[in-house]
Amino acid sequence: MDKNSQQRLTMIDSLRGLALVGIFLVNITFFTTSLQTISFGIELWNGWLDQGLMLLRGIVIDGKFILIFSFLFGFGMVLMQESSRRKGSRFHRLYIRRLLALLAFGLLHGLLIWYGDILTHYAILGFALLLFQRCKPPTLLIWSAALLLIVPVLLTGASLLSPGNGSQAFEPISQADAHRIGIYFQERDAAIYGEGTFLQITVQRINDYIASLFNMLVFYPQILGMFLLGAYFCKQRILHDPNGNRKIIARLIWLGALIGLPLQVMMSLAKGLPSWVEAASLFVGAPLVALAYIGAFALLYQKRGWSNKLRILSHPGKMAFTNYLLQSVICGLIFYGYGFGWFGKVPPAMQMLLVIVIFTLQTVFSIVWLRRFPIGPLEYVWRLFTYWGSPVKRSGQDVSHPRQQRGTL
């Protein structure tokens, strides 16, 4: 592999590492707060620092890094397709096995570790992504735009056609009632997750897992749209040559800054917005900001000074599958009753500090692991499922042992 190709792969790994820490900053709240309390938008912490950090997180982090991860999932599908073609392998068969293994991991994760699992959804939507793998780039772009816009367009239409011309926000009950309901669920879940037995926690986790599955359905078009956009970028080689595509990337950054970011600020600061404005902020603003982050990261990575600093993210990024699941295990031990039982006791500022500490330790772990093995432990297990445990030949070597193979999530 030439130096430029190696740098491109490292940049994608680093971007995946950045997405991983961004997702963790959001996910940790779900380990210490009731799912229903979050759904009602109830603020449990009144300190200026906690409220300020949550406001900042809502503007610059919430909903953006999961979209970057979705983008990279589609990007990775094309990379795997191209690799299979070079090796003469049957891509369809390999990718279906890969998705089935991902689905199995997701179900185990969601039912036994943490209800907020995303792997199940990626596996399900991965089968839909597979339908587009032969499409040309313009087709991918058209479908991506249609899927990203379908939910806000439908919600806007429904709002404008409803009585009151869509002036009512999403919240169907009063703020006082919502607050009472949110506090009730927080206290109930604190008693279960924070103090309950493993069986009680498991029963509640399964209930929340089922609820979260249905909650995510409205985001399916957006996630699939980002899958397709990632596939488009890979087929068009936009991130393969950021300097050569600087004009395209610069436009994405400006769109995110001038349209996406103001929409996010408005949604975070304004109260009682019309439902169509909330829909535009959530389903249009967030993807634009996510694309701006991707573009800015790609351009920064071309600068030697920045590249040397950002490259450290490539280590946890190469082991994103392992590190994502490990974060859930660690947070379960911190917040649930079978561990320290800190559910509902850790304010947002401390949550973010915990993320920094845990992710730093994961980065060190990834560096140490990758000095001995080319891929993470769960990445290797996933690869065994994908290839039915068969050795994978590369450059004339037997790479059935993890020391001798390399892969990406």
Side-chain angles (χ1 to χ4, degrees):
M1 182 181 295
D2 60 54
K3 184 176 180 181
N4 290 335
S5 297
Q6 182 64 45
Q7 183 180 14
R8 288 196 298 267
L9 286 178
T10 304
M11 190 266 285
I12 295 300
D13 287 333
S14 298
L15 181 59
R16 188 179 292 109
L18 177 68
L20 186 66
V21 69
I23 292 170
F24 194 13
L25 283 166
V26 176
N27 286 352
I28 194 169
T29 298
F30 288 81
F31 280 98
T32 187
T33 310
S34 168
L35 175 62
Q36 289 76 16
T37 303
I38 294 173
S39 299
F40 280 107
I42 305 305
E43 296 179 357
L44 299 174
W45 306 94
N46 297 320
W48 65 269
L49 178 59
D50 291 320
Q51 289 200 343
L53 288 173
M54 290 301 288
L55 176 63
L56 182 63
R57 197 192 77 175
I59 294 172
V60 302
I61 297 178
D62 286 4
K64 288 79 173 176
F65 289 89
I66 188 65
L67 293 179
I68 295 176
F69 220 69
S70 302
F71 174 96
L72 293 174
F73 191 88
F75 195 98
M77 187 272 286
V78 176
L79 289 180
M80 184 175 178
Q81 180 186 17
E82 293 172 348
S83 176
S84 297
R85 186 181 299 121
R86 288 193 300 269
K87 297 175 182 177
S89 304
R90 294 186 178 182
F91 170 72
H92 266 86
R93 186 175 297 176
L94 293 176
Y95 202 69
I96 287 173
R97 289 203 294 260
R98 182 178 176 86
L99 293 176
L100 289 174
L102 186 64
L103 180 61
F105 275 113
L107 290 172
L108 290 173
H109 180 220
L111 294 173
L112 299 179
I113 302 175
W114 180 50
Y115 67 82
D117 169 75
I118 194 64
L119 304 180
T120 307
H121 306 287
Y122 275 28
I124 294 170
L125 290 172
F127 287 101
L129 173 65
L130 194 57
L131 300 175
F132 294 89
Q133 56 99 12
R134 294 185 183 276
C135 291
K136 296 184 181 299
T139 305
L140 292 173
L141 185 61
I142 291 170
W143 272 100
S144 174
L147 287 165
L148 289 170
L149 292 174
I150 187 171
V151 172
V153 168
L154 290 177
L155 290 177
T156 299
S159 299
L160 296 177
L161 293 174
S162 65
N165 198 32
S167 60
Q168 183 180 7
F170 281 133
E171 185 59 76
I173 61 177
S174 70
Q175 286 294 323
D177 288 340
H179 187 268
R180 282 193 293 269
I181 295 172
I183 294 299
Y184 163 77
F185 280 112
Q186 178 66 14
E187 293 175 348
R188 185 204 67 176
D189 285 6
I192 297 173
Y193 282 118
E195 302 173 6
T197 65
F198 185 82
L199 179 60
Q200 290 172 325
I201 293 171
T202 300
V203 171
Q204 184 60 44
R205 184 193 300 115
I206 292 173
N207 289 332
D208 286 339
Y209 177 63
I210 294 171
S212 68
L213 286 175
F214 287 102
N215 289 345
M216 282 295 295
L217 291 178
V218 71
F219 294 98
Y220 269 28
Q222 185 184 59
I223 295 173
L224 181 56
M226 291 301 292
F227 282 3
L228 296 177
L229 196 57
Y232 168 81
F233 268 63
C234 191
K235 288 193 174 186
Q236 289 291 84
R237 296 297 190 263
I238 294 174
L239 296 183
H240 289 66
D241 183 16
N243 286 325
N245 293 284
R246 183 174 290 270
K247 289 184 177 180
I248 296 174
I249 294 174
R251 291 192 192 104
L252 292 177
I253 296 173
W254 280 111
L255 282 173
L258 298 178
I259 300 177
L261 190 59
L263 285 173
Q264 295 300 290
V265 172
M266 181 171 55
M267 186 174 70
S268 297
L269 294 178
K271 303 297 182 183
L273 290 171
S275 57
W276 66 271
V277 177
E278 291 189 1
S281 300
L282 185 61
F283 291 98
V284 177
L288 288 177
V289 174
L291 288 174
Y293 287 168
I294 293 170
F297 189 90
L299 292 182
L300 285 174
Y301 215 86
Q302 307 313 302
K303 301 179 182 295
R304 178 172 298 180
W306 278 100
S307 177
N308 292 335
K309 296 179 178 67
L310 296 174
R311 189 174 288 114
I312 194 170
L313 292 170
S314 68
H315 302 288
K318 290 174 184 175
M319 293 174 51
F321 189 50
T322 295
N323 284 317
Y324 170 73
L325 294 174
L326 185 58
Q327 288 168 2
S328 295
V329 173
I330 293 172
C331 285
L333 293 174
I334 292 173
F335 296 108
Y336 292 168
Y338 53 77
F340 293 120
W342 288 359
F343 188 97
K345 299 176 182 179
V346 180
M350 291 303 298
Q351 292 174 29
M352 294 183 183
L353 182 59
L354 275 173
V355 168
I356 294 172
V357 171
I358 293 171
F359 191 75
T360 299
L361 293 174
Q362 286 188 303
T363 301
V364 174
F365 165 68
S366 299
I367 292 172
V368 173
W369 180 274
L370 292 171
R371 284 176 180 171
R372 298 194 61 194
F373 306 99
I375 59 175
L378 291 183
E379 283 79 4
Y380 181 60
V381 175
W382 192 10
R383 191 178 180 97
L384 289 179
F385 275 102
T386 301
Y387 295 96
W388 287 140
S390 301
V392 181
K393 299 288 185 180
R394 181 175 180 181
S395 300
Q397 294 179 327
D398 183 346
V399 292
S400 58
H401 191 279
R403 272 181 179 269
Q404 298 173 294
Q405 69 178 4
R406 180 174 183 170
T408 57
L409 182 63

